[in-house]
Amino acid sequence: MIISNPIPKQVTKAPKLGAAVSSLPLHEAAVPLNTTLVADFMAQHALDEWNNSMSLVRYHRLHGDRTLVAHFLKESAEFRRVYIAFAKA
């Protein structure tokens, strides 16, 4: 007897706090939270990380390291998406 447990190809909603919100398309991200305090904290944390990533982009751009510039630009975009999802929650 073979038991098949299909794995979904893409999660459409964050099932609980701590789920990978940044891997979801922004229009499908749903962040269930119990309190606005948690949402405010997570939004501020994502905003801080977004600003840190953008600082690293500027630093590496001045030093001509295009590989790290691309990496930190991608990272900052993910933190921005997380910030927007928590700010809406």
Side-chain angles (χ1 to χ4, degrees):
M1 181 168 129
I2 298 174
I3 299 175
S4 177
N5 213 3
I7 299 173
K9 293 187 179 190
Q10 183 178 11
V11 177
T12 56
K13 290 187 178 181
K16 60 184 176 183
L17 186 61
V21 174
S22 64
S23 66
L24 300 174
L26 186 58
H27 65 280
E28 293 182 9
V31 183
L33 299 172
N34 295 331
T35 64
T36 57
L37 182 64
V38 175
D40 291 341
F41 174 81
M42 293 304 293
Q44 185 60 47
H45 178 67
L47 182 62
D48 292 343
E49 291 299 324
W50 175 23
N51 289 327
N52 289 339
S53 293
M54 289 306 294
S55 295
L56 288 169
V57 166
R58 286 186 286 276
Y59 174 82
H60 290 293
R61 184 180 293 157
L62 288 173
H63 290 87
D65 191 341
R66 292 181 181 201
T67 304
L68 285 176
V69 168
H71 168 76
F72 286 114
L73 275 174
K74 181 179 178 184
E75 186 177 89
S76 67
E78 290 298 312
F79 281 122
R80 182 174 184 268
R81 291 178 59 195
V82 171
Y83 167 73
I84 290 170
F86 278 108
K88 287 182 179 180

